[in-house]
Amino acid sequence: MKILGISGSASLQSSNFYLLKAIQGEIKDKHSMKIIENLSELPLFTPQRLENGVPKCVLNFKKELIHNDAIIMSTPEYTHNIPAVLKNMIEWCTHSGEFESKKIIVMTFTPYEPRGKFAMQSLLSSLKAMKANIITQFPLYRTDVTFSNREISFTEESKTLIKEAVELLE
């Protein structure tokens, strides 16, 4: 299966990106996974820009969505919501339907409980409005992993959770 990883963070060096890299490593024997690193490069969505033609970088991103079988999305929480770059990406796809019926695992990755719950609610609402097929959703916290030199290692419990979630995509 081809899986697309999407980090909802505005930072290229975000823990959500490294979380997806760790997941990629965990599933590489069974699935291919590409991680999108550049949501911040998508221009700000406006109806006028849409009317003037979808920019090439947005079209390329949409092709990635279409050509992958499933998505693993991980986001931090910014001011009790999803980051603007993630919302912007969703807005570019609202009318064109790339998320419709797409299998998605939704995660929040934040420092500690209960952070992430508002971002999760917001993201789920947006994805449901686009008729995405949300397979499962769960929070992860920094206490569920170990960081070392920008690499993440999972606890046995979190490793099992992730593997079981990915199996639901099959």
Side-chain angles (χ1 to χ4, degrees), residues 70-89:
I71 298 169
I72 299 176
M73 197 175 292
S74 179
T75 187
E77 182 172 279
Y78 292 0
T79 58
H80 291 267
N81 214 317
I82 60 175
V85 294
L86 184 56
K87 178 70 169 133
N88 185 55
M89 178 272 297

Side-chain angles (χ1 to χ4, degrees), residues 114-154:
R115 285 190 58 188
K117 77 176 189 175
F118 296 112
M120 181 65 79
Q121 291 169 354
S122 177
L123 184 53
L124 290 173
S125 292
S126 293
L127 293 172
K128 286 176 183 176
M130 293 190 299
K131 300 180 180 152
N133 182 6
I134 300 164
I135 300 301
T136 191
Q137 48 98 16
F138 55 90
L140 282 177
Y141 304 101
R142 288 193 66 137
T143 55
D144 297 322
V145 302
T146 303
F147 273 93
S148 176
N149 297 326
R150 294 190 177 161
E151 288 186 15
I152 290 179
S153 301
F154 297 109

Side-chain angles (χ1 to χ4, degrees), residues 16-149:
N16 280 267
F17 170 75
Y18 291 111
L19 174 73
L20 291 169
K21 291 292 283 181
I23 292 171
Q24 182 182 46
E26 289 292 323
I27 67 172
K28 69 182 177 200
D29 293 337
K30 212 169 175 191
H31 307 288
S32 66
M33 183 172 170
K34 179 177 183 177
I35 301 170
I36 297 293
E37 303 178 49
N38 58 351
L39 287 186
S40 61
E41 294 176 13
L42 298 179
L44 180 64
F45 173 84
T46 65
Q48 294 77 22
R49 282 194 174 129
L50 187 60
E51 290 170 9
N52 293 333
V54 179
K56 186 174 180 162
C57 62
V58 175
L59 290 173
N60 290 338
F61 175 76
K62 289 179 176 209
K63 286 179 188 172
E64 290 292 341
L65 290 173
I66 292 166
H67 294 310
N68 281 276
D69 303 308
I71 298 169
I72 299 176
M73 197 175 292
S74 179
T75 187
E77 182 172 279
Y78 292 0
T79 58
H80 291 267
N81 214 317
I82 60 175
V85 294
L86 184 56
K87 178 70 169 133
N88 185 55
M89 178 272 297
I90 290 169
E91 289 180 3
W92 274 112
C93 298
T94 297
H95 296 291
S96 47
E98 290 82 10
F99 282 99
E100 187 170 339
S101 300
K102 186 66 73 174
K103 295 177 186 177
I104 303 177
I105 295 172
V106 180
M107 299 181 297
T108 53
F109 187 52
T110 59
Y112 50 84
E113 247 181 298
R115 285 190 58 188
K117 77 176 189 175
F118 296 112
M120 181 65 79
Q121 291 169 354
S122 177
L123 184 53
L124 290 173
S125 292
S126 293
L127 293 172
K128 286 176 183 176
M130 293 190 299
K131 300 180 180 152
N133 182 6
I134 300 164
I135 300 301
T136 191
Q137 48 98 16
F138 55 90
L140 282 177
Y141 304 101
R142 288 193 66 137
T143 55
D144 297 322
V145 302
T146 303
F147 273 93
S148 176
N149 297 326

